Amino acid sequence: MDITKALTRIRSNVSTPVFVLLHGWGSNEYDLPDLLRFCAPDADYASLRAPIEYGMGYTWFGTWDHEGVPSGESLDKQALDAAEAIDRWVTDNIDESRRVVTMGFSQGGLLAGHMLRVNPDRYMAAVSFSGWLAPGELPGDAKLGETTPPVFYGHGGADTIFSPDELAAMSGFWQSHSTLTEKIYPGMEHSINMPELRDVSTFLQSIGAARPTF
């Protein structure tokens, strides 16, 4: 698996992070960059296209149980394959002097956090919109338990894509492996809303990854 398409804006300001944007099931690289206008204006970014064609868009996972959601060993394998492909792209295309923040929705929300688990030395923070957890243990997990990088996890109170057990697993893992900011939005389904983007803006400013907005 390799990343072959990306929408990028990467300038030479080494003091600011690059946001690696990871879209969800059936979408594409044009889906997420506009969100940065609300939570990290003028940020540098690389929005990656998932390698597997699906319908009118693309997917990070080629098989699933329902609605782009694999589970168990299948999820572990597919998530690792995708994360390693993303990590190779980052190594090849983003200077090692630049800090990297991962941000993704749904499948991309899982992978945003997964990048910290696969290569904890490279990624400074993660923002997971409506993501979930690949349950298998990874070598980077032990280090995350020591370094506890900042992670934002937001999801809707009316999201029916994931079971309560899956949401609890995601929350529980990052409570013990990160400095977690978790927000639940009553009435929101599998989506992103403006209150969440305002919360992400506050989170990114608090960790020095975005400038204050006025």
Side-chain angles (χ1 to χ4, degrees):
M1 176 181 284
D2 290 300
I3 309 300
T4 60
K5 297 288 185 179
L7 183 66
T8 64
R9 182 176 67 191
I10 303 177
R11 296 161 293 189
S12 58
N13 186 355
V14 297
S15 67
T16 61
V18 177
F19 287 80
V20 170
L21 307 179
L22 306 168
H23 65 76
W25 179 50
S27 190
N28 59 49
E29 69 274 23
Y30 291 93
D31 192 28
L32 298 182
D34 277 352
L35 297 184
L36 294 177
R37 294 189 296 116
F38 302 100
C39 56
D42 202 39
D44 283 5
Y45 65 84
S47 186
L48 309 188
R49 178 192 290 182
I52 303 169
E53 291 188 17
Y54 176 74
M56 298 295 289
Y58 300 86
T59 175
W60 296 100
F61 308 143
T63 61
W64 48 81
D65 300 337
H66 66 93
E67 297 176 280
V69 180
S71 61
E73 292 182 4
S74 173
L75 175 57
D76 288 339
K77 182 182 185 306
Q78 293 187 80
L80 183 58
D81 288 347
E84 289 178 339
I86 294 163
D87 196 48
R88 287 193 300 271
W89 191 96
V90 169
T91 298
D92 292 342
N93 293 278
I94 300 177
D95 191 275
E96 63 182 7
S97 65
R98 298 294 297 271
R99 297 175 296 161
V100 177
V101 176
T102 56
M103 177 183 290
F105 173 70
S106 195
Q107 287 185 353
L110 180 150
L111 290 169
H114 217 60
M115 302 313 300
L116 274 65
R117 303 177 64 190
V118 167
N119 190 350
D121 293 323
R122 185 64 183 101
Y123 303 96
M124 69 168 288
V127 175
S128 176
F129 297 110
S130 302
W132 79 110
L133 186 75
E137 188 173 340
L138 291 172
D141 291 347
K143 184 163 189 177
L144 291 182
E146 299 170 358
T147 59
T148 61
V151 169
F152 180 95
Y153 174 40
H155 53 100
D159 190 340
T160 59
I161 298 294
F162 305 113
S163 69
D165 286 347
E166 287 171 310
L167 298 176
M170 177 74 164
S171 179
F173 178 87
W174 289 112
Q175 284 176 15
S176 60
H177 291 81
S178 76
T179 302
L180 177 65
T181 299
E182 181 177 4
K183 300 286 186 178
I184 303 172
Y185 300 92
M188 187 175 81
E189 298 182 351
H190 196 61
S191 186
I192 301 169
N193 63 16
M194 285 305 301
E196 184 171 22
L197 291 174
R198 286 193 289 268
D199 287 338
V200 170
S201 177
T202 299
F203 167 79
L204 293 173
Q205 291 175 43
S206 74
I207 64 172
R211 299 182 180 92
T213 55
F214 300 96

